[in-house]
Amino acid sequence: MKKFKLAAILMAAGLFFSFGNQAEAAGVGYINYQKVQDNFAFAQQAIKDIDAKALEMQQYMVDKEKQYKSLDTPLKKQNFEQQTAREFKLKEDAYMKLKVQKEEEVYNKIQAATKQVLVEQKLDAIVDYRVIFVGGVDISDLVIQKLKSGQF
């Protein structure tokens, strides 16, 4: 039993020292995702594309409203409403698909650049800046530089 306790103490001490050595060799980085996104031209273009699609949908509804006012019978108005609802649903689905696609592309490019910075800076992990209370290394500018280099 004494040998078991001694072995357990030695193992715990070994783990403590090995974790201590690892902590010195690496660390935790943090990223301000919004700052990176705001300084990433591809992300800005994606936002413009999404906004353009939203404006297109708004203009569609304005045009349809004008057409609706020109109809003279309740039956024509009802048929027009049904057709417009179907068309708008298709446009809305296309908008949501575009939005998700663009957001994924931006996220994937930022994540790839962040992973490269993680390796280059020999960090253990990178977290959102709102998680860090004290310590860590801000890598936001490094990621922005990577993205501006055109590799992603």
Side-chain angles (χ1 to χ4, degrees):
M1 186 69 168
K2 286 183 182 181
K3 286 184 181 181
F4 178 72
K5 286 182 183 179
L6 180 62
I9 291 171
L10 289 174
M11 284 178 43
L15 286 174
F16 176 75
F17 286 117
S18 70
F19 285 137
N21 289 339
Q22 287 177 354
E24 290 175 21
V28 175
Y30 60 90
I31 185 171
N32 183 336
Y33 187 85
Q34 190 62 49
K35 177 182 176 183
V36 172
Q37 190 175 11
D38 291 345
N39 288 285
F40 185 26
F42 181 84
Q44 296 310 309
Q45 185 58 49
I47 290 169
K48 287 178 184 176
D49 293 347
I50 293 167
D51 288 347
K53 192 72 165 173
L55 287 173
E56 179 184 310
M57 289 174 48
Q58 287 176 344
Q59 187 60 47
Y60 171 81
M61 289 309 291
V62 168
D63 294 344
K64 289 298 181 178
E65 188 174 326
K66 289 177 186 175
Q67 291 176 6
Y68 180 80
K69 289 179 181 178
S70 70
L71 298 174
D72 54 357
T73 66
L75 182 59
K76 286 181 182 177
K77 287 184 177 186
Q78 182 182 9
N79 290 338
F80 184 81
E81 286 174 357
Q82 290 172 350
Q83 179 183 353
T84 301
R86 284 190 300 271
E87 290 172 2
F88 186 76
K89 176 70 174 139
L90 292 174
K91 288 185 176 294
E92 187 177 41
D93 290 346
Y95 168 78
M96 291 306 294
K97 184 178 178 180
L98 174 72
K99 185 175 184 208
V100 167
Q101 174 195 357
K102 293 291 185 180
E103 288 173 351
E104 282 181 5
E105 288 175 4
V106 168
Y107 177 82
N108 289 339
K109 289 178 183 290
I110 291 173
Q111 186 179 41
T114 303
K115 284 180 181 178
Q116 194 171 21
V117 169
L118 174 106
V119 171
E120 290 172 359
Q121 297 297 313
K122 299 177 181 163
L123 297 171
D124 290 325
I126 297 175
V127 297
D128 187 86
Y129 77 103
R130 294 170 290 187
V131 176
I132 297 292
F133 188 68
V134 175
V137 178
D138 185 358
I139 56 122
S140 302
D141 292 332
L142 293 173
V143 173
I144 291 168
Q145 288 173 359
K146 286 278 179 210
L147 293 168
K148 285 184 177 180
S149 73
Q151 296 175 356
F152 302 94

PDB file of all heavy atoms in Angstrom, residues 10-29:
ATOM      1  N   LEU A  10       4.605  10.162  -7.019  1.00  0.00           N
ATOM      2  CA  LEU A  10       5.629  10.388  -8.035  1.00  0.00           C
ATOM      3  C   LEU A  10       5.005  10.655  -9.406  1.00  0.00           C
ATOM      4  O   LEU A  10       5.467  11.522 -10.155  1.00  0.00           O
ATOM      5  CB  LEU A  10       6.591   9.204  -8.101  1.00  0.00           C
ATOM      6  CG  LEU A  10       7.547   9.050  -6.905  1.00  0.00           C
ATOM      7  CD1 LEU A  10       8.346   7.756  -7.036  1.00  0.00           C
ATOM      8  CD2 LEU A  10       8.476  10.239  -6.804  1.00  0.00           C
ATOM      9  N   MET A  11       3.946   9.920  -9.724  1.00  0.00           N
ATOM     10  CA  MET A  11       3.262  10.137 -11.008  1.00  0.00           C
ATOM     11  C   MET A  11       2.630  11.527 -11.047  1.00  0.00           C
ATOM     12  O   MET A  11       2.717  12.234 -12.050  1.00  0.00           O
ATOM     13  CB  MET A  11       2.193   9.059 -11.242  1.00  0.00           C
ATOM     14  CG  MET A  11       2.797   7.733 -11.668  1.00  0.00           C
ATOM     15  SD  MET A  11       1.605   6.402 -11.904  1.00  0.00           S
ATOM     16  CE  MET A  11       0.276   7.141 -12.769  1.00  0.00           C
ATOM     17  N   ALA A  12       2.003  11.928  -9.951  1.00  0.00           N
ATOM     18  CA  ALA A  12       1.380  13.248  -9.894  1.00  0.00           C
ATOM     19  C   ALA A  12       2.430  14.340 -10.037  1.00  0.00           C
ATOM     20  O   ALA A  12       2.232  15.336 -10.745  1.00  0.00           O
ATOM     21  CB  ALA A  12       0.601  13.414  -8.593  1.00  0.00           C
ATOM     22  N   ALA A  13       3.562  14.163  -9.377  1.00  0.00           N
ATOM     23  CA  ALA A  13       4.638  15.149  -9.474  1.00  0.00           C
ATOM     24  C   ALA A  13       5.175  15.200 -10.901  1.00  0.00           C
ATOM     25  O   ALA A  13       5.453  16.284 -11.436  1.00  0.00           O
ATOM     26  CB  ALA A  13       5.754  14.809  -8.495  1.00  0.00           C
ATOM     27  N   GLY A  14       5.300  14.065 -11.541  1.00  0.00           N
ATOM     28  CA  GLY A  14       5.770  14.020 -12.935  1.00  0.00           C
ATOM     29  C   GLY A  14       4.808  14.730 -13.865  1.00  0.00           C
ATOM     30  O   GLY A  14       5.217  15.472 -14.758  1.00  0.00           O
ATOM     31  N   LEU A  15       3.514  14.511 -13.664  1.00  0.00           N
ATOM     32  CA  LEU A  15       2.515  15.198 -14.474  1.00  0.00           C
ATOM     33  C   LEU A  15       2.573  16.701 -14.252  1.00  0.00           C
ATOM     34  O   LEU A  15       2.483  17.492 -15.180  1.00  0.00           O
ATOM     35  CB  LEU A  15       1.113  14.681 -14.155  1.00  0.00           C
ATOM     36  CG  LEU A  15       0.777  13.293 -14.692  1.00  0.00           C
ATOM     37  CD1 LEU A  15      -0.582  12.842 -14.178  1.00  0.00           C
ATOM     38  CD2 LEU A  15       0.787  13.292 -16.210  1.00  0.00           C
ATOM     39  N   PHE A  16       2.738  17.095 -13.005  1.00  0.00           N
ATOM     40  CA  PHE A  16       2.804  18.510 -12.663  1.00  0.00           C
ATOM     41  C   PHE A  16       3.974  19.177 -13.384  1.00  0.00           C
ATOM     42  O   PHE A  16       3.837  20.237 -13.978  1.00  0.00           O
ATOM     43  CB  PHE A  16       2.927  18.690 -11.142  1.00  0.00           C
ATOM     44  CG  PHE A  16       3.104  20.114 -10.725  1.00  0.00           C
ATOM     45  CD1 PHE A  16       2.033  20.993 -10.746  1.00  0.00           C
ATOM     46  CD2 PHE A  16       4.346  20.583 -10.330  1.00  0.00           C
ATOM     47  CE1 PHE A  16       2.195  22.318 -10.377  1.00  0.00           C
ATOM     48  CE2 PHE A  16       4.515  21.906  -9.960  1.00  0.00           C
ATOM     49  CZ  PHE A  16       3.438  22.776  -9.976  1.00  0.00           C
ATOM     50  N   PHE A  17       5.121  18.529 -13.352  1.00  0.00           N
ATOM     51  CA  PHE A  17       6.294  19.112 -14.002  1.00  0.00           C
ATOM     52  C   PHE A  17       6.153  19.103 -15.520  1.00  0.00           C
ATOM     53  O   PHE A  17       6.567  20.039 -16.192  1.00  0.00           O
ATOM     54  CB  PHE A  17       7.583  18.382 -13.572  1.00  0.00           C
ATOM     55  CG  PHE A  17       8.007  18.724 -12.173  1.00  0.00           C
ATOM     56  CD1 PHE A  17       8.060  17.749 -11.192  1.00  0.00           C
ATOM     57  CD2 PHE A  17       8.334  20.037 -11.838  1.00  0.00           C
ATOM     58  CE1 PHE A  17       8.438  18.065  -9.903  1.00  0.00           C
ATOM     59  CE2 PHE A  17       8.714  20.358 -10.553  1.00  0.00           C
ATOM     60  CZ  PHE A  17       8.773  19.377  -9.576  1.00  0.00           C
ATOM     61  N   SER A  18       5.558  18.055 -16.074  1.00  0.00           N
ATOM     62  CA  SER A  18       5.411  18.028 -17.534  1.00  0.00           C
ATOM     63  C   SER A  18       4.405  19.081 -17.997  1.00  0.00           C
ATOM     64  O   SER A  18       4.605  19.720 -19.022  1.00  0.00           O
ATOM     65  CB  SER A  18       5.003  16.633 -18.022  1.00  0.00           C
ATOM     66  OG  SER A  18       3.685  16.335 -17.648  1.00  0.00           O
ATOM     67  N   PHE A  19       3.314  19.306 -17.245  1.00  0.00           N
ATOM     68  CA  PHE A  19       2.366  20.358 -17.601  1.00  0.00           C
ATOM     69  C   PHE A  19       3.015  21.726 -17.438  1.00  0.00           C
ATOM     70  O   PHE A  19       2.790  22.621 -18.224  1.00  0.00           O
ATOM     71  CB  PHE A  19       1.098  20.292 -16.748  1.00  0.00           C
ATOM     72  CG  PHE A  19       0.161  19.183 -17.133  1.00  0.00           C
ATOM     73  CD1 PHE A  19      -0.458  18.407 -16.183  1.00  0.00           C
ATOM     74  CD2 PHE A  19      -0.105  18.915 -18.477  1.00  0.00           C
ATOM     75  CE1 PHE A  19      -1.316  17.393 -16.539  1.00  0.00           C
ATOM     76  CE2 PHE A  19      -0.966  17.902 -18.838  1.00  0.00           C
ATOM     77  CZ  PHE A  19      -1.576  17.141 -17.870  1.00  0.00           C
ATOM     78  N   GLY A  20       3.828  21.874 -16.427  1.00  0.00           N
ATOM     79  CA  GLY A  20       4.527  23.136 -16.208  1.00  0.00           C
ATOM     80  C   GLY A  20       5.447  23.469 -17.364  1.00  0.00           C
ATOM     81  O   GLY A  20       5.516  24.604 -17.818  1.00  0.00           O
ATOM     82  N   ASN A  21       6.149  22.471 -17.876  1.00  0.00           N
ATOM     83  CA  ASN A  21       7.055  22.700 -19.008  1.00  0.00           C
ATOM     84  C   ASN A  21       6.276  23.042 -20.272  1.00  0.00           C
ATOM     85  O   ASN A  21       6.700  23.870 -21.059  1.00  0.00           O
ATOM     86  CB  ASN A  21       7.929  21.471 -19.255  1.00  0.00           C
ATOM     87  CG  ASN A  21       8.965  21.284 -18.154  1.00  0.00           C
ATOM     88  OD1 ASN A  21       9.297  22.224 -17.449  1.00  0.00           O
ATOM     89  ND2 ASN A  21       9.454  20.063 -18.012  1.00  0.00           N
ATOM     90  N   GLN A  22       5.144  22.394 -20.477  1.00  0.00           N
ATOM     91  CA  GLN A  22       4.336  22.670 -21.648  1.00  0.00           C
ATOM     92  C   GLN A  22       3.766  24.084 -21.583  1.00  0.00           C
ATOM     93  O   GLN A  22       3.669  24.763 -22.593  1.00  0.00           O
ATOM     94  CB  GLN A  22       3.186  21.664 -21.775  1.00  0.00           C
ATOM     95  CG  GLN A  22       3.640  20.301 -22.216  1.00  0.00           C
ATOM     96  CD  GLN A  22       2.499  19.312 -22.273  1.00  0.00           C
ATOM     97  OE1 GLN A  22       1.391  19.611 -21.880  1.00  0.00           O
ATOM     98  NE2 GLN A  22       2.799  18.117 -22.748  1.00  0.00           N
ATOM     99  N   ALA A  23       3.370  24.528 -20.408  1.00  0.00           N
ATOM    100  CA  ALA A  23       2.790  25.856 -20.269  1.00  0.00           C
ATOM    101  C   ALA A  23       3.811  26.930 -20.635  1.00  0.00           C
ATOM    102  O   ALA A  23       3.458  27.973 -21.169  1.00  0.00           O
ATOM    103  CB  ALA A  23       2.280  26.061 -18.856  1.00  0.00           C
ATOM    104  N   GLU A  24       5.069  26.681 -20.370  1.00  0.00           N
ATOM    105  CA  GLU A  24       6.102  27.657 -20.706  1.00  0.00           C
ATOM    106  C   GLU A  24       6.344  27.687 -22.212  1.00  0.00           C
ATOM    107  O   GLU A  24       6.629  28.733 -22.762  1.00  0.00           O
ATOM    108  CB  GLU A  24       7.410  27.308 -19.980  1.00  0.00           C
ATOM    109  CG  GLU A  24       7.359  27.524 -18.479  1.00  0.00           C
ATOM    110  CD  GLU A  24       8.630  27.049 -17.793  1.00  0.00           C
ATOM    111  OE1 GLU A  24       9.671  26.933 -18.465  1.00  0.00           O
ATOM    112  OE2 GLU A  24       8.572  26.785 -16.589  1.00  0.00           O
ATOM    113  N   ALA A  25       6.229  26.559 -22.856  1.00  0.00           N
ATOM    114  CA  ALA A  25       6.556  26.465 -24.271  1.00  0.00           C
ATOM    115  C   ALA A  25       5.453  27.052 -25.157  1.00  0.00           C
ATOM    116  O   ALA A  25       5.720  27.494 -26.250  1.00  0.00           O
ATOM    117  CB  ALA A  25       6.797  25.007 -24.649  1.00  0.00           C
ATOM    118  N   ALA A  26       4.237  27.034 -24.705  1.00  0.00           N
ATOM    119  CA  ALA A  26       3.129  27.496 -25.533  1.00  0.00           C
ATOM    120  C   ALA A  26       2.178  28.330 -24.687  1.00  0.00           C
ATOM    121  O   ALA A  26       2.438  28.586 -23.531  1.00  0.00           O
ATOM    122  CB  ALA A  26       2.417  26.287 -26.132  1.00  0.00           C
ATOM    123  N   GLY A  27       1.098  28.720 -25.272  1.00  0.00           N
ATOM    124  CA  GLY A  27       0.136  29.526 -24.543  1.00  0.00           C
ATOM    125  C   GLY A  27      -1.192  29.560 -25.250  1.00  0.00           C
ATOM    126  O   GLY A  27      -1.467  28.777 -26.149  1.00  0.00           O
ATOM    127  N   VAL A  28      -1.964  30.510 -24.823  1.00  0.00           N
ATOM    128  CA  VAL A  28      -3.299  30.674 -25.372  1.00  0.00           C
ATOM    129  C   VAL A  28      -3.359  32.014 -26.091  1.00  0.00           C
ATOM    130  O   VAL A  28      -2.941  33.040 -25.564  1.00  0.00           O
ATOM    131  CB  VAL A  28      -4.360  30.617 -24.251  1.00  0.00           C
ATOM    132  CG1 VAL A  28      -5.745  30.920 -24.799  1.00  0.00           C
ATOM    133  CG2 VAL A  28      -4.344  29.256 -23.575  1.00  0.00           C
ATOM    134  N   GLY A  29      -3.861  31.977 -27.292  1.00  0.00           N
ATOM    135  CA  GLY A  29      -4.083  33.198 -28.043  1.00  0.00           C
ATOM    136  C   GLY A  29      -5.561  33.521 -28.045  1.00  0.00           C
ATOM    137  O   GLY A  29      -6.397  32.665 -27.774  1.00  0.00           O
TER     138      GLY A  29
END
